[in-house]
Amino acid sequence: MCGIAGFIDFNNTSSAEILKKTTDTLAHRGPDGCGYNFLQKNNYQIGLGHRRLSIIDLTNAGAQPMAYQQSIIVFNGEIYNYASIKKTLEGKGHQFIGHSDTEVILHAYAEWGSAALQQFIGMFSLVIFDEEKQKIFACRDRAGAKPFFYYWKDGLFIFGSELKAIMQHPGFTKEININAVAAFMQYGYVPAQHCIFNDTHKLKAGFHLEFDLSTQKIHTQQYWNVYDAYNKPTLKISLPDAITETENLLTNAFQYRMVSDVPVGVFLSGGYDSTCVTALLQKDTTEKIKTFTIGVADAKLNEAPFAKQIAAHLGTDHTEYYCTEKEALEILPSLPLFYDEPFADSSAIPTILVSKIAREKVTVALSADAGDEIFAGYNRYDYIMKYGKAIQSVPPFLRKSLASVMDAIPTNSIPLLNKKYLFSNRYEKLKTFLQNPSEKNIMLGITQQMNSNDVTALFKDSIKKLSSPFDSNELSADNYAVLKFMMAIDYQTYLPDDILQKVDRATMSIGLEGREPFLDHRIIEWAAQLPMEYKYNKGNKKFIIKEIVHKYLPKKIMDRPKSGFAIPIEAWLQNELTPFVNEYLDEQFIIKQNIFNNHEIQRIKDSFYNGKTESGQKIWYLLMFQIWYDKWMN
């Protein structure tokens, strides 16, 4: 795991010093070493920079930038099956100097070109300068575990693992994309391929990019698509056979993530996914797996006691740390440094904390994200299965009449219910569902923090909706099912843009490599074809994962409501964070900023502090943007 940065400058205004400066902004991602390659060509300059976190082949043979024949690579990530690929290449006559996966990528590219990507099992973003073909080849892994940003304007191409590397180049023009701000206010992240800045992009998961240096043309192409799996026929397989095959595949994928020349541990939250990872890794070894859990004082949000019980049953080497509210709050001002594009997932705070604890004992930590997207684990899947059809069954004239009545009755005038948590938010969403009960609209309503009308009211100027996978029609009619639709959308949106971004920045903030065992593409390709009742069984979410876990832990240990990896946002905003809210949502700040409709901002703020706690998430999103803005724009 590392950080990469660089540029192609057709204006010849860059330098080796600029390359070093941009690359070294990523020192936290790669504290073990650095490398820079600045080349002056006839009509352009090229810079390739690398910050190294040594995981495989700790010798100088694994240092980057690395060259082979007429190609040079900078690479961030891990190719877990590199040893078997290397063996195949040796059979074709390739000879290797060291035993790093980086060297294997270079040889694989020389042998197969872009088709080499189909060979890789891993997480990666990389750039190869192919001097013979006069092109830049860049790519991002199938699920989007590793980030890749790039900027292209007026003859200057800049890339980096994080935005801060791009921003360090003096040729970068820092202009906010107002439509991206609007998208952030809806989702809590900016959806790929878009970025918070104009002329700046994220390479989408499962895509590669080719930049022809002779024509200065950029072409992106998808090499892997989750819909290819969902559009295959459902497997005809018995449940016992499906459990056996799924466990075998998970075990193989999880064991691949243990490949390392440095110590490895597991984040154990106490839920089914992290327990599954831990149980399948611990079952075949006498060496105790190192596991890590963060506890919090709020009993409703605290899963540490359950994680401790699971660790004791499985026999892991367990570390438990209870963080104080003070420790969590102290992280808040540093969030924009590492999340250098606006990001509102508050669980970034405990993720940073658990990463710090793990880094004291290991250099690699396995996280169990993507189990919900692959095996139908989110509560919103329950909502659409339980209530979606009921709303759709209401005759259109009655639905519209009900929506009109609700529109005329403000939530604060409804006795008793107006005191319920999130009642106003749910009331507004129900109106939206009644007006348009399509599955796509229900999915959007559940996913978004603000609807289109909310967002429009928030801004001074008009905004445009950004394209995103939410607009996809790639799921074939023959295979269509509402849960398939929702899970495929989540795999392309919430997973890469929120969850994986959160874990990447949190772990890399202190030089810890985070690995995601469930992201092995073979798992989603297999699970997408399983009968839906093996994943969502009469309201029982992640059914097949639970069946596997119950082989190693008694059901009574696991059978409980999931608490979630969260922090008490509303309580913080009403107490310790009130000074931040007053500072960053101050009328003068808003007016000077010239982005938002000040009247609407103050209305939301006043409603929250006058008892409408359902506005808390909106306040949090606004606060996260404002703190980011103050860090990077002022």
Side-chain angles (χ1 to χ4, degrees):
M1 186 79 70
C2 307
I4 61 175
F7 51 77
I8 301 102
D9 186 355
F10 293 94
N11 305 309
N12 292 293
T13 58
S14 298
S15 65
E17 288 73 25
I18 290 174
L19 175 62
K20 186 177 187 304
K21 185 178 180 182
T22 57
T23 305
D24 288 353
T25 60
L26 305 175
H28 55 283
R29 297 184 71 95
D32 297 334
C34 55
Y36 319 93
N37 198 327
F38 177 78
L39 302 170
Q40 179 69 61
K41 298 299 179 180
N42 289 335
N43 62 331
Y44 60 86
Q45 297 167 320
I46 184 165
L48 299 171
H50 185 260
R51 292 293 315 203
R52 187 182 186 193
L53 177 62
S54 301
I55 303 295
I56 295 175
D57 192 348
L58 309 185
T59 71
N60 286 335
Q64 300 182 46
M66 183 182 292
Y68 174 67
Q69 294 180 348
Q70 289 185 277
S71 293
I72 306 172
I73 187 174
V74 285
F75 160 59
N76 168 32
E78 303 289 352
I79 306 299
Y80 302 115
N81 64 330
Y82 76 98
S84 62
I85 299 173
K86 181 179 181 180
K87 187 174 181 180
T88 299
L89 289 166
E90 285 174 332
K92 293 178 174 292
H94 289 257
Q95 296 181 334
F96 294 84
I97 298 171
H99 68 276
S100 74
D101 51 351
T102 309
E103 189 178 7
V104 171
I105 295 171
L106 265 178
H107 284 253
Y109 175 79
E111 182 68 31
W112 298 303
S114 63
L117 297 176
Q118 303 301 334
Q119 303 277 336
F120 300 158
I121 297 174
M123 55 180 185
F124 48 87
S125 63
L126 61 88
V127 171
I128 295 174
F129 169 46
D130 187 333
E131 187 165 15
E132 181 182 8
K133 295 180 180 177
Q134 279 296 289
K135 74 175 182 179
I136 291 290
F137 176 80
C139 65
R140 192 175 178 202
D141 63 76
R142 297 170 179 85
K146 292 297 100 193
F148 187 83
F149 293 87
Y150 68 95
Y151 169 85
W152 171 235
K153 183 182 181 182
D154 297 335
L156 179 63
F157 178 88
I158 319 171
F159 68 87
S161 295
E162 297 178 12
L163 269 179
K164 59 178 65 67
I166 293 174
M167 285 190 271
Q168 277 296 315
H169 195 291
F172 175 70
T173 303
K174 190 159 47 173
E175 296 175 345
I176 284 184
N177 179 348
I178 196 69
N179 298 318
V181 181
F184 165 77
M185 290 300 170
Q186 286 191 291
Y187 302 110
Y189 56 80
V190 179
Q193 73 267 9
H194 310 287
C195 183
I196 195 63
F197 295 122
N198 288 329
D199 306 303
T200 313
H201 314 272
K202 302 183 194 85
L203 185 60
K204 293 203 293 187
F207 276 70
H208 65 73
L209 173 153
E210 293 193 5
F211 188 172
D212 189 319
L213 300 178
S214 58
T215 63
Q216 298 186 29
K217 299 293 184 184
I218 293 177
H219 173 70
T220 60
Q221 182 175 332
Q222 190 171 28
Y223 68 88
W224 185 87
N225 189 345
V226 71
Y227 284 109
D228 290 341
Y230 276 111
N231 284 331
K232 289 181 179 178
T234 300
L235 294 171
K236 290 181 171 59
I237 185 172
S238 69
L239 179 59
D241 286 346
I243 291 171
T244 299
E245 291 298 318
T246 301
E247 182 176 345
N248 289 340
L249 175 56
L250 293 177
T251 300
N252 178 265
F254 296 173
Q255 287 176 342
Y256 258 139
R257 273 68 186 175
M258 298 297 285
V259 174
S260 174
D261 292 334
V262 295
V264 181
V266 179
F267 292 152
L268 179 61
S269 71
Y272 271 99
D273 296 333
S274 63
T275 300
C276 183
V277 172
T278 307
L280 295 188
L281 288 174
Q282 190 64 75
K283 69 173 182 173
D284 293 325
T285 179
T286 55
E287 182 180 349
K288 289 178 177 289
I289 299 291
K290 290 181 171 60
T291 53
F292 303 90
T293 299
I294 281 284
V296 294
D298 190 334
K300 298 190 297 293
L301 302 175
N302 186 31
E303 289 192 311
F306 306 117
K308 186 175 183 179
Q309 187 180 11
I310 291 164
H313 189 91
L314 295 175
T316 70
D317 177 6
H318 191 58
T319 298
E320 176 186 84
Y321 182 81
Y322 272 77
C323 73
T324 64
E325 190 172 86
K326 181 175 180 292
E327 286 175 295
L329 286 165
E330 285 173 348
I331 289 175
L332 183 68
S334 68
L335 288 178
L337 175 62
F338 300 110
Y339 295 87
D340 49 15
E341 183 174 59
F343 188 70
D345 189 336
S346 59
S347 64
I349 292 174
T351 306
I352 289 173
L353 284 169
V354 75
S355 297
K356 287 182 176 180
I357 301 307
R359 189 63 177 90
E360 295 175 5
K361 295 186 177 182
V362 299
T363 312
V364 175
L366 275 59
S367 187
D369 301 303
D372 288 318
E373 288 83 356
I374 298 171
F375 294 102
Y378 286 127
N379 287 335
R380 55 179 169 268
Y381 302 154
D382 257 346
Y383 299 154
I384 200 162
M385 294 301 289
K386 290 178 180 178
Y387 309 123
K389 286 191 168 98
I391 294 173
Q392 289 170 347
S393 67
V394 177
F397 76 91
L398 186 54
R399 281 193 283 101
K400 291 179 180 178
S401 298
L402 283 170
S404 297
V405 171
M406 291 176 70
D407 204 37
I409 302 174
T411 55
N412 59 6
S413 68
I414 302 175
L416 299 178
L417 289 176
N418 63 3
K419 303 296 182 184
K420 294 280 188 180
Y421 177 68
L422 288 181
F423 172 69
S424 177
N425 183 278
R426 290 167 179 162
Y427 189 84
E428 291 300 309
K429 288 185 176 182
L430 179 56
K431 282 196 295 184
T432 302
F433 300 160
L434 286 169
Q435 290 164 350
N436 178 4
S438 71
E439 289 160 350
K440 179 179 177 180
N441 193 56
I442 293 175
M443 171 71 173
L444 280 171
I446 293 171
T447 303
Q448 295 173 344
Q449 183 55 229
M450 302 185 193
N451 62 35
S452 299
N453 292 333
D454 292 336
V455 173
T456 299
L458 202 60
F459 289 84
K460 284 191 64 179
D461 300 322
S462 61
I463 54 172
K464 294 180 180 179
K465 178 179 174 291
L466 296 180
S467 62
S468 76
F470 286 105
D471 305 313
S472 173
N473 295 309
E474 294 175 87
L475 188 61
S476 71
D478 292 340
N479 284 327
Y480 187 85
V482 63
L483 276 185
K484 282 186 179 183
F485 167 73
M486 293 185 74
M487 291 160 69
I489 293 291
D490 276 334
Y491 199 90
Q492 295 179 309
T493 56
Y494 183 65
L495 178 64
D497 292 332
D498 187 307
I499 300 298
L500 300 182
Q501 182 177 191
K502 174 188 69 180
V503 175
D504 174 80
R505 304 305 191 281
T507 53
M508 295 311 306
S509 71
I510 38 81
L512 176 73
E513 173 165 297
R515 294 181 176 178
E516 304 280 3
F518 278 106
L519 289 189
D520 191 305
H521 65 281
R522 297 172 300 163
I523 296 175
I524 182 63
E525 289 174 353
W526 163 258
Q529 297 179 73
L530 289 175
M532 187 55 72
E533 62 267 24
Y534 294 178
K535 292 171 280 191
Y536 185 89
N537 187 291
K538 299 176 182 178
N540 190 358
K541 302 185 292 293
K542 287 194 284 200
F543 178 71
I544 196 167
I545 292 295
K546 292 177 180 178
E547 291 296 297
I548 292 169
V549 169
H550 293 159
K551 293 170 63 175
Y552 300 97
L553 284 114
K555 187 176 180 180
K556 62 182 180 180
I557 294 180
M558 300 300 303
D559 196 11
R560 64 183 187 279
K562 184 168 174 58
S563 302
F565 203 28
I567 61 174
I569 288 296
E570 287 79 13
W572 282 9
L573 289 170
Q574 289 175 331
N575 296 282
E576 292 84 359
L577 294 182
T578 301
F580 282 89
V581 176
N582 290 335
E583 176 185 356
Y584 288 109
L585 300 189
D586 174 73
E587 289 194 40
Q588 295 306 312
F589 192 113
I590 299 295
I591 292 169
K592 182 180 178 182
Q593 190 179 25
N594 200 35
I595 293 176
F596 298 114
N597 175 355
N598 180 59
H599 176 76
E600 181 66 8
I601 297 289
Q602 302 311 319
R603 186 195 67 77
I604 294 171
K605 177 184 169 184
D606 291 343
S607 72
F608 176 70
Y609 286 107
N610 286 326
K612 294 294 183 183
T613 55
E614 65 269 14
S615 299
Q617 284 295 324
K618 293 180 181 179
I619 295 287
W620 178 259
Y621 279 32
L622 286 163
L623 182 61
M624 290 300 96
F625 178 79
Q626 296 296 79
I627 292 176
W628 173 88
Y629 183 93
D630 195 40
K631 165 69 179 175
W632 294 108
M633 299 302 295
N634 278 344

